[in-house]
């Protein structure tokens, strides 16, 4: 995802230039035309494994390296993802097939043999890039007749010789590349639309003394038209073994146009189940939401009409329900400062998610823009700090708070501070594993600058503006002496009602959550942002309605302590998200190493915490609007 940093900053101005945005290509994803014979530079990316979740640089293994290794410019998101894009010794010429090209010869010592064996044991895959297209391994399926693509090829494989029970490690040292291109019939130029490989393990042989320029292999000879077609004589990975790395290049003309070249990469193997399950989930949630809305409208209409028709004080005293707590319903809650901080942080997250999804739906954050999604999310989080400060200060002033700077500082520091502490511990673990996923010092400094140099000042600006606004007036007066709350039924117990409240919001997203977790932890592409946007809208409606319903029941039970409970009711869906993530870990992933498990649960804890903040704030504002609405609709004597 090749967003440049300057573009990511300017992307904030997107709504002002919608018409212009349709007329240019983003840097790094513009089409490139190649004439016959033009050099094609293959770049290498990180080594990845779904078993360890720890990426490593390509040259962390003793692969054939060019004379000078050059790093490609990476954006903030790519660095945080662990991408390390470098040049390689694989150089092609456009539409000029090559056979049995020798890359280099390597003699393994004990250390290098061990490194290769460890990566093969952990099922690491090698990732390469050509013209911004990732390398894939095509796999034919019989039922149904189709082809699926796996990102990258395995470093090697484990197997046994016929008649032997001893397991050996074999390396993929011969790569049969296929470059697919779409040709312009008028100019004869071509654009690359596919980059595939079939890896083989071959024990190459040669005669005489080794000379990389002149030696001819007996196992793979372009002059004799003898090429590698199988791995019947595989190359073992053992100390003192020689490994010769070779490759073929084949060019295939394709009808696929450049604009559609990512379509094959984005097709999931279970796409029909995916679409059906999402639509099914959305229909259920929409039906439940409609039922809830209908019940609430009818019940409230009857209540308000009944209260307004009461003529005598005796009749009013005989009544029970939510009107009786009108003198306490807007009494400030316990720990009002903390509530203000969490509400402000939720507004910040909500704004970030909303604008990010808008960019994604417009196609600005497609998988071709490596790192773009994470870069934009970070930058939007920083700039949304102004809304966080505004929201927290407005609520704080309503609670008769006077020290707006204190609440602004807490809003700017609390959530990022907790996340940063978890992230620092996880990053230290990754450093200990010498993984490329560890955030370098320069990037860490950039993150700190974004936080303290931009986000914190913006939170203070927002808080200053919010605090200068007139305080939000309550529709009813608050009594000086708190009313005693009667004993509640068991089903209105705060813990029970809060836990029940989180089930429906989680139900709105758990189908989509499966595919999001799969894309993150199993190295697959996630691309259906239109459906994700729809799911997010359903989540908002569901959080709002379930919180309003439970808040209404709570007030009818003469329990006026709704402030925190409204936040926790929808926010409790984060607990179910974390439990589902735990279930996913044990049923779908094959992680066995302690560090990898800690990384998974650490990052999912951060994700669940963020989900809690967002859903909690949605529920809070829905309940806040609802209580103001109903208490301003009745006559209070």
């Amino acid at each position: 995802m090749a967003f440049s940093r300057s573009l990511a900053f300017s992307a904030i101005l997107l709504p002002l230039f919608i018409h212009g945005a349709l007329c240019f290509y983003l840097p790094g994803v513009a089409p490139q035309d190649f004439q016959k014979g033009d050099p094609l530079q293959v770049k290498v990316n990180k080594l990845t494994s779904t078993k360890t979740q720890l990426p490593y640089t390509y040259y962390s293994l003793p692969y054939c390296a060019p004379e000078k290794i050059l790093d490609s410019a990476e954006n903030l998101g790519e660095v945080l993802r662990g991408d390390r894009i470098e040049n390689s010794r694989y150089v092609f010429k456009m539409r000029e097939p090559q056979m049995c090209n020798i890359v280099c010869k390597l003699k393994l010592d004990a250390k290098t043999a061990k490194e290769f064996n460890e990566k093969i044991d952990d099922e690491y895959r090698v990732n390469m890039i050509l013209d911004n297209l990732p390398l894939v391994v095509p796999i034919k399926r019989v039922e149904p007749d189709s082809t699926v693509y796996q990102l990258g090829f395995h470093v090697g494989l484990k197997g046994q010789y016929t008649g032997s029970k001893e397991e050996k490690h074999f390396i993929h040292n011969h790569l049969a590349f296929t470059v697919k291109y779409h040709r312009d019939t008028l100019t004869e130029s071509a654009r690359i639309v596919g980059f595939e490989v079939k890896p083989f393990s071959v024990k190459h042989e040669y005669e005489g003394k080794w000379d990389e320029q002149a030696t001819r292999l007996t196992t793979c000879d372009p002059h004799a038209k003898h090429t590698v077609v199988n791995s019947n004589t595989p190359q073992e990975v053992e100390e003192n073994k020689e490994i010769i790395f070779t490759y073929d290049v084949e060019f295939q003309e394709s009808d696929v146009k450049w604009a559609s070249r990512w379509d094959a990469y984005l097709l999931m193997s279970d796409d029909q189940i995916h679409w059906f399950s999402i639509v099914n989930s959305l229909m259920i949630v929409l039906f439940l939401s409609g039922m809830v809305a209908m019940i609430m409208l009818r019940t409230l209409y009857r209540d308000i009409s009944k209260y307004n028709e009461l003529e005598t004080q005796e009749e009013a005293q005989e009544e029970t329900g939510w009107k009786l707590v009108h003198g306490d319903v807007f009494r400030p809650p316990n720990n009002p400062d903390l509530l203000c901080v969490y509400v402000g942080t939720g507004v910040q997250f909500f704004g970030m998610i909303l604008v990010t999804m808008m960019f994604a739906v417009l196609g600005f954050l497609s998988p071709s823009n490596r790192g773009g999604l994470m870069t934009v999310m970070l930058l939007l989080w920083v700039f949304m700090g102004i809304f966080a400060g505004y929201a927290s200060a407005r609520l704080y002033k309503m609670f008769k708070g006077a020290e707006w700077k204190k609440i602004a500082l807490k809003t700017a520091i609390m959530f990022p501070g907790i996340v940063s502490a978890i992230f620092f511990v996880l990053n230290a673990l990754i450093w200990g594993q010498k993984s490329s996923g560890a955030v370098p010092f320069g990037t860490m400094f950039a993150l700190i600058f974004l936080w303290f140099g931009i986000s914190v000042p913006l939170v203070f600006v927002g808080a200053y503006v919010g605090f200068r606004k007139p305080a939000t007036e309550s529709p009813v007066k608050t009594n000086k002496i708190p009313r005693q709350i009667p004993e509640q039924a068991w089903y209105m117990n705060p813990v029970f009602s809060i836990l029940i409240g989180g089930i429906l919001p989680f139900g709105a997203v758990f189908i989509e959550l499966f595919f999001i977790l799969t894309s993150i932890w199993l190295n697959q592409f996630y691309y259906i942002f239109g459906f994700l946007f729809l799911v997010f809208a359903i989540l908002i409606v569901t959080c709002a309605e379930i919180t309003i319903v439970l808040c209404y029941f709570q007030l009818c039970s003469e329990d006026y302590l709704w402030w925190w409970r409204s936040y926790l009711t929808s926010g409790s869906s984060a607990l179910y998200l974390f439990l589902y993530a735990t279930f996913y870990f044990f049923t779908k992933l094959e992680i066995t190493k302690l560090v990898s498990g800690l990384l998974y649960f650490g990052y999912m804890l951060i994700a669940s915490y963020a989900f809690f903040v967002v859903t909690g704030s949605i529920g809070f504002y829905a309940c806040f609007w609802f209580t103001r609405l109903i208490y301003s609709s009745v006559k209070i004597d």
Side-chain angles (χ1 to χ4, degrees), residues 557-593:
S557 300
E558 301 178 35
D559 182 355
Y560 53 83
L561 302 178
W562 64 272
W563 296 97
W564 271 110
R565 197 186 290 195
S566 65
Y567 195 99
L568 296 174
T569 295
S570 52
S572 65
S573 57
L575 173 63
Y576 297 102
L577 187 151
F578 190 77
L579 292 175
Y580 180 79
T582 304
F583 170 78
Y584 184 88
F585 177 84
F586 288 108
T587 57
K588 298 296 181 182
L589 301 181
E590 298 178 2
I591 294 175
T592 55
K593 294 188 176 181

Short mmCIF file of all heavy atoms in Angstrom, two decimals, residues 557-593:
data_model
loop_
_atom_site.label_atom_id
_atom_site.label_comp_id
_atom_site.label_asym_id
_atom_site.label_seq_id
_atom_site.Cartn_x
_atom_site.Cartn_y
_atom_site.Cartn_z
N SER A 557 -37.71 1.12 36.42
CA SER A 557 -37.50 0.48 37.72
C SER A 557 -37.04 1.47 38.77
O SER A 557 -36.59 1.09 39.86
CB SER A 557 -36.47 -0.64 37.58
OG SER A 557 -36.89 -1.62 36.66
N GLU A 558 -37.11 2.77 38.41
CA GLU A 558 -36.74 3.87 39.31
C GLU A 558 -35.27 3.85 39.69
O GLU A 558 -34.88 4.29 40.78
CB GLU A 558 -37.63 3.86 40.57
CG GLU A 558 -39.10 4.00 40.26
CD GLU A 558 -39.96 3.93 41.51
OE1 GLU A 558 -39.52 4.42 42.57
OE2 GLU A 558 -41.07 3.36 41.42
N ASP A 559 -34.46 3.33 38.79
CA ASP A 559 -33.01 3.36 38.97
C ASP A 559 -32.46 4.42 38.00
O ASP A 559 -32.50 4.26 36.79
CB ASP A 559 -32.40 1.99 38.64
CG ASP A 559 -30.89 1.96 38.86
OD1 ASP A 559 -30.30 3.01 39.17
OD2 ASP A 559 -30.29 0.87 38.69
N TYR A 560 -31.99 5.54 38.57
CA TYR A 560 -31.57 6.68 37.74
C TYR A 560 -30.06 6.71 37.47
O TYR A 560 -29.56 7.67 36.88
CB TYR A 560 -32.00 8.00 38.39
CG TYR A 560 -31.53 8.12 39.84
CD1 TYR A 560 -30.25 8.55 40.16
CD2 TYR A 560 -32.39 7.79 40.88
CE1 TYR A 560 -29.84 8.68 41.48
CE2 TYR A 560 -32.00 7.89 42.21
CZ TYR A 560 -30.71 8.34 42.50
OH TYR A 560 -30.29 8.44 43.80
N LEU A 561 -29.33 5.68 37.89
CA LEU A 561 -27.87 5.65 37.66
C LEU A 561 -27.56 5.08 36.26
O LEU A 561 -27.07 3.98 36.11
CB LEU A 561 -27.18 4.81 38.75
CG LEU A 561 -27.42 5.28 40.19
CD1 LEU A 561 -26.73 4.32 41.17
CD2 LEU A 561 -26.89 6.70 40.39
N TRP A 562 -27.91 5.88 35.26
CA TRP A 562 -27.83 5.38 33.89
C TRP A 562 -26.56 5.80 33.15
O TRP A 562 -26.24 5.25 32.11
CB TRP A 562 -29.04 5.88 33.09
CG TRP A 562 -29.08 7.38 32.96
CD1 TRP A 562 -29.66 8.25 33.83
CD2 TRP A 562 -28.51 8.16 31.91
NE1 TRP A 562 -29.49 9.54 33.42
CE2 TRP A 562 -28.79 9.51 32.22
CE3 TRP A 562 -27.80 7.87 30.75
CZ2 TRP A 562 -28.37 10.58 31.41
CZ3 TRP A 562 -27.40 8.93 29.94
CH2 TRP A 562 -27.67 10.25 30.26
N TRP A 563 -25.84 6.78 33.67
CA TRP A 563 -24.71 7.34 32.91
C TRP A 563 -23.68 6.26 32.54
O TRP A 563 -23.42 6.02 31.36
CB TRP A 563 -24.00 8.44 33.72
CG TRP A 563 -24.82 9.65 34.01
CD1 TRP A 563 -25.51 9.91 35.16
CD2 TRP A 563 -25.04 10.77 33.15
NE1 TRP A 563 -26.14 11.12 35.08
CE2 TRP A 563 -25.86 11.68 33.85
CE3 TRP A 563 -24.62 11.10 31.86
CZ2 TRP A 563 -26.27 12.90 33.32
CZ3 TRP A 563 -25.02 12.32 31.32
CH2 TRP A 563 -25.84 13.19 32.04
N TRP A 564 -23.10 5.64 33.55
CA TRP A 564 -22.08 4.63 33.29
C TRP A 564 -22.68 3.35 32.69
O TRP A 564 -22.06 2.70 31.84
CB TRP A 564 -21.34 4.27 34.59
CG TRP A 564 -20.15 5.14 34.86
CD1 TRP A 564 -20.03 6.09 35.83
CD2 TRP A 564 -18.92 5.16 34.14
NE1 TRP A 564 -18.80 6.69 35.76
CE2 TRP A 564 -18.09 6.13 34.73
CE3 TRP A 564 -18.42 4.44 33.04
CZ2 TRP A 564 -16.80 6.42 34.28
CZ3 TRP A 564 -17.14 4.72 32.59
CH2 TRP A 564 -16.34 5.69 33.19
N ARG A 565 -23.91 3.01 33.15
CA ARG A 565 -24.48 1.77 32.64
C ARG A 565 -24.77 1.87 31.14
O ARG A 565 -24.64 0.89 30.41
CB ARG A 565 -25.77 1.41 33.39
CG ARG A 565 -26.12 -0.06 33.16
CD ARG A 565 -27.46 -0.45 33.75
NE ARG A 565 -27.48 -0.46 35.20
CZ ARG A 565 -28.45 -1.03 35.90
NH1 ARG A 565 -29.45 -1.65 35.29
NH2 ARG A 565 -28.43 -0.97 37.21
N SER A 566 -25.14 3.04 30.64
CA SER A 566 -25.39 3.19 29.21
C SER A 566 -24.10 2.99 28.42
O SER A 566 -24.13 2.42 27.31
CB SER A 566 -25.97 4.58 28.92
OG SER A 566 -25.03 5.60 29.22
N TYR A 567 -22.99 3.44 28.99
CA TYR A 567 -21.70 3.28 28.31
C TYR A 567 -21.29 1.80 28.32
O TYR A 567 -20.85 1.25 27.30
CB TYR A 567 -20.63 4.12 29.01
CG TYR A 567 -19.37 4.31 28.21
CD1 TYR A 567 -19.16 5.48 27.49
CD2 TYR A 567 -18.38 3.33 28.16
CE1 TYR A 567 -18.00 5.67 26.75
CE2 TYR A 567 -17.23 3.51 27.42
CZ TYR A 567 -17.04 4.68 26.72
OH TYR A 567 -15.89 4.85 25.98
N LEU A 568 -21.46 1.17 29.46
CA LEU A 568 -21.00 -0.22 29.60
C LEU A 568 -21.92 -1.22 28.91
O LEU A 568 -21.47 -2.31 28.53
CB LEU A 568 -20.89 -0.58 31.09
CG LEU A 568 -19.86 0.22 31.89
CD1 LEU A 568 -19.96 -0.12 33.37
CD2 LEU A 568 -18.45 -0.06 31.39
N THR A 569 -23.18 -0.87 28.71
CA THR A 569 -24.13 -1.81 28.11
C THR A 569 -23.70 -2.21 26.70
O THR A 569 -23.53 -3.40 26.39
CB THR A 569 -25.55 -1.21 28.08
OG1 THR A 569 -26.00 -1.04 29.43
CG2 THR A 569 -26.52 -2.14 27.35
N SER A 570 -23.51 -1.21 25.84
CA SER A 570 -23.07 -1.53 24.48
C SER A 570 -21.57 -1.81 24.45
O SER A 570 -21.10 -2.59 23.62
CB SER A 570 -23.42 -0.39 23.52
OG SER A 570 -22.94 0.84 24.02
N GLY A 571 -20.83 -1.20 25.35
CA GLY A 571 -19.38 -1.44 25.40
C GLY A 571 -19.02 -2.86 25.78
O GLY A 571 -17.93 -3.35 25.44
N SER A 572 -19.94 -3.56 26.47
CA SER A 572 -19.64 -4.94 26.88
C SER A 572 -19.51 -5.87 25.69
O SER A 572 -19.03 -7.00 25.84
CB SER A 572 -20.73 -5.46 27.83
OG SER A 572 -21.97 -5.56 27.15
N SER A 573 -19.93 -5.43 24.50
CA SER A 573 -19.73 -6.25 23.30
C SER A 573 -18.25 -6.52 23.05
O SER A 573 -17.89 -7.51 22.42
CB SER A 573 -20.35 -5.57 22.08
OG SER A 573 -19.80 -4.27 21.91
N ALA A 574 -17.37 -5.66 23.57
CA ALA A 574 -15.93 -5.86 23.44
C ALA A 574 -15.48 -7.12 24.17
O ALA A 574 -14.52 -7.79 23.76
CB ALA A 574 -15.17 -4.65 23.96
N LEU A 575 -16.17 -7.45 25.28
CA LEU A 575 -15.84 -8.68 26.01
C LEU A 575 -16.10 -9.90 25.13
O LEU A 575 -15.28 -10.82 25.07
CB LEU A 575 -16.67 -8.76 27.29
CG LEU A 575 -16.57 -10.06 28.09
CD1 LEU A 575 -15.14 -10.26 28.60
CD2 LEU A 575 -17.56 -10.06 29.26
N TYR A 576 -17.24 -9.88 24.42
CA TYR A 576 -17.57 -11.00 23.54
C TYR A 576 -16.60 -11.06 22.35
O TYR A 576 -16.27 -12.14 21.86
CB TYR A 576 -19.01 -10.88 23.04
CG TYR A 576 -20.01 -10.96 24.17
CD1 TYR A 576 -20.61 -9.81 24.67
CD2 TYR A 576 -20.33 -12.18 24.75
CE1 TYR A 576 -21.52 -9.88 25.71
CE2 TYR A 576 -21.24 -12.27 25.79
CZ TYR A 576 -21.82 -11.11 26.27
OH TYR A 576 -22.72 -11.20 27.31
N LEU A 577 -16.16 -9.88 21.90
CA LEU A 577 -15.17 -9.85 20.82
C LEU A 577 -13.88 -10.54 21.25
O LEU A 577 -13.31 -11.35 20.50
CB LEU A 577 -14.89 -8.40 20.41
CG LEU A 577 -14.00 -8.17 19.17
CD1 LEU A 577 -14.40 -6.85 18.50
CD2 LEU A 577 -12.52 -8.11 19.51
N PHE A 578 -13.42 -10.25 22.47
CA PHE A 578 -12.18 -10.86 22.96
C PHE A 578 -12.36 -12.37 23.17
O PHE A 578 -11.45 -13.15 22.87
CB PHE A 578 -11.73 -10.20 24.26
CG PHE A 578 -10.36 -10.61 24.71
CD1 PHE A 578 -9.23 -10.08 24.11
CD2 PHE A 578 -10.20 -11.55 25.72
CE1 PHE A 578 -7.96 -10.47 24.51
CE2 PHE A 578 -8.94 -11.95 26.12
CZ PHE A 578 -7.81 -11.40 25.52
N LEU A 579 -13.53 -12.77 23.67
CA LEU A 579 -13.80 -14.20 23.84
C LEU A 579 -13.83 -14.91 22.49
O LEU A 579 -13.33 -16.03 22.35
CB LEU A 579 -15.13 -14.40 24.59
CG LEU A 579 -15.16 -13.96 26.05
CD1 LEU A 579 -16.57 -14.10 26.62
CD2 LEU A 579 -14.16 -14.77 26.89
N TYR A 580 -14.40 -14.25 21.48
CA TYR A 580 -14.42 -14.85 20.14
C TYR A 580 -13.01 -14.94 19.58
O TYR A 580 -12.66 -15.93 18.92
CB TYR A 580 -15.31 -14.02 19.21
CG TYR A 580 -15.37 -14.59 17.82
CD1 TYR A 580 -16.19 -15.67 17.53
CD2 TYR A 580 -14.61 -14.05 16.78
CE1 TYR A 580 -16.26 -16.22 16.26
CE2 TYR A 580 -14.66 -14.58 15.51
CZ TYR A 580 -15.48 -15.66 15.25
OH TYR A 580 -15.52 -16.20 14.00
N ALA A 581 -12.19 -13.91 19.83
CA ALA A 581 -10.80 -13.94 19.39
C ALA A 581 -10.05 -15.11 20.03
O ALA A 581 -9.22 -15.76 19.40
CB ALA A 581 -10.11 -12.62 19.71
N THR A 582 -10.37 -15.38 21.29
CA THR A 582 -9.76 -16.53 21.99
C THR A 582 -10.20 -17.83 21.35
O THR A 582 -9.39 -18.74 21.11
CB THR A 582 -10.16 -16.51 23.48
OG1 THR A 582 -9.78 -15.26 24.05
CG2 THR A 582 -9.46 -17.64 24.23
N PHE A 583 -11.49 -17.94 21.04
CA PHE A 583 -12.02 -19.12 20.36
C PHE A 583 -11.35 -19.30 18.99
O PHE A 583 -10.98 -20.42 18.60
CB PHE A 583 -13.54 -18.98 20.20
CG PHE A 583 -14.18 -20.01 19.32
CD1 PHE A 583 -14.42 -21.29 19.77
CD2 PHE A 583 -14.54 -19.70 18.01
CE1 PHE A 583 -15.01 -22.25 18.96
CE2 PHE A 583 -15.13 -20.65 17.18
CZ PHE A 583 -15.35 -21.92 17.66
N TYR A 584 -11.19 -18.20 18.27
CA TYR A 584 -10.56 -18.24 16.94
C TYR A 584 -9.11 -18.72 17.05
O TYR A 584 -8.63 -19.49 16.21
CB TYR A 584 -10.61 -16.85 16.32
CG TYR A 584 -10.07 -16.77 14.91
CD1 TYR A 584 -10.90 -16.99 13.82
CD2 TYR A 584 -8.74 -16.46 14.66
CE1 TYR A 584 -10.42 -16.92 12.52
CE2 TYR A 584 -8.24 -16.39 13.38
CZ TYR A 584 -9.08 -16.62 12.32
OH TYR A 584 -8.59 -16.56 11.03
N PHE A 585 -8.43 -18.28 18.09
CA PHE A 585 -7.02 -18.66 18.29
C PHE A 585 -6.88 -20.18 18.42
O PHE A 585 -5.99 -20.79 17.82
CB PHE A 585 -6.49 -17.97 19.55
CG PHE A 585 -5.07 -18.33 19.90
CD1 PHE A 585 -4.00 -17.68 19.31
CD2 PHE A 585 -4.80 -19.34 20.82
CE1 PHE A 585 -2.69 -18.01 19.63
CE2 PHE A 585 -3.50 -19.68 21.15
CZ PHE A 585 -2.44 -19.01 20.55
N PHE A 586 -7.76 -20.78 19.19
CA PHE A 586 -7.63 -22.22 19.47
C PHE A 586 -8.23 -23.10 18.37
O PHE A 586 -7.91 -24.28 18.29
CB PHE A 586 -8.28 -22.56 20.81
CG PHE A 586 -7.49 -22.05 22.00
CD1 PHE A 586 -7.96 -20.98 22.75
CD2 PHE A 586 -6.28 -22.64 22.35
CE1 PHE A 586 -7.24 -20.51 23.84
CE2 PHE A 586 -5.55 -22.17 23.43
CZ PHE A 586 -6.02 -21.11 24.18
N THR A 587 -9.09 -22.54 17.53
CA THR A 587 -9.74 -23.36 16.50
C THR A 587 -9.20 -23.15 15.10
O THR A 587 -9.24 -24.07 14.27
CB THR A 587 -11.26 -23.11 16.49
OG1 THR A 587 -11.50 -21.71 16.25
CG2 THR A 587 -11.89 -23.52 17.81
N LYS A 588 -8.67 -21.96 14.81
CA LYS A 588 -8.26 -21.65 13.43
C LYS A 588 -6.76 -21.46 13.26
O LYS A 588 -6.24 -21.65 12.15
CB LYS A 588 -8.97 -20.38 12.95
CG LYS A 588 -10.49 -20.50 12.89
CD LYS A 588 -10.93 -21.54 11.88
CE LYS A 588 -12.46 -21.63 11.82
NZ LYS A 588 -12.91 -22.68 10.88
N LEU A 589 -6.06 -21.07 14.29
CA LEU A 589 -4.63 -20.79 14.17
C LEU A 589 -3.81 -21.97 14.67
O LEU A 589 -4.27 -22.77 15.47
CB LEU A 589 -4.27 -19.52 14.94
CG LEU A 589 -4.99 -18.24 14.52
CD1 LEU A 589 -4.52 -17.06 15.35
CD2 LEU A 589 -4.77 -17.95 13.03
N GLU A 590 -2.58 -22.03 14.18
CA GLU A 590 -1.67 -23.11 14.57
C GLU A 590 -0.48 -22.57 15.33
O GLU A 590 0.63 -23.08 15.25
CB GLU A 590 -1.20 -23.87 13.32
CG GLU A 590 -2.35 -24.53 12.56
CD GLU A 590 -1.86 -25.23 11.31
OE1 GLU A 590 -0.64 -25.23 11.07
OE2 GLU A 590 -2.70 -25.77 10.57
N ILE A 591 -0.69 -21.50 16.07
CA ILE A 591 0.40 -20.87 16.83
C ILE A 591 0.74 -21.73 18.04
O ILE A 591 -0.13 -22.09 18.82
CB ILE A 591 -0.01 -19.45 17.27
CG1 ILE A 591 -0.19 -18.55 16.05
CG2 ILE A 591 1.01 -18.86 18.22
CD1 ILE A 591 -0.70 -17.17 16.37
N THR A 592 2.01 -22.04 18.17
CA THR A 592 2.46 -22.87 19.29
C THR A 592 3.48 -22.17 20.17
O THR A 592 3.64 -22.54 21.34
CB THR A 592 3.07 -24.18 18.77
OG1 THR A 592 4.12 -23.88 17.83
CG2 THR A 592 2.02 -25.05 18.07
N LYS A 593 4.17 -21.16 19.65
CA LYS A 593 5.22 -20.49 20.41
C LYS A 593 4.62 -19.46 21.37
O LYS A 593 3.64 -18.79 21.05
CB LYS A 593 6.22 -19.82 19.47
CG LYS A 593 7.01 -20.83 18.64
CD LYS A 593 8.13 -20.16 17.87
CE LYS A 593 8.96 -21.19 17.12
NZ LYS A 593 10.07 -20.58 16.37
#
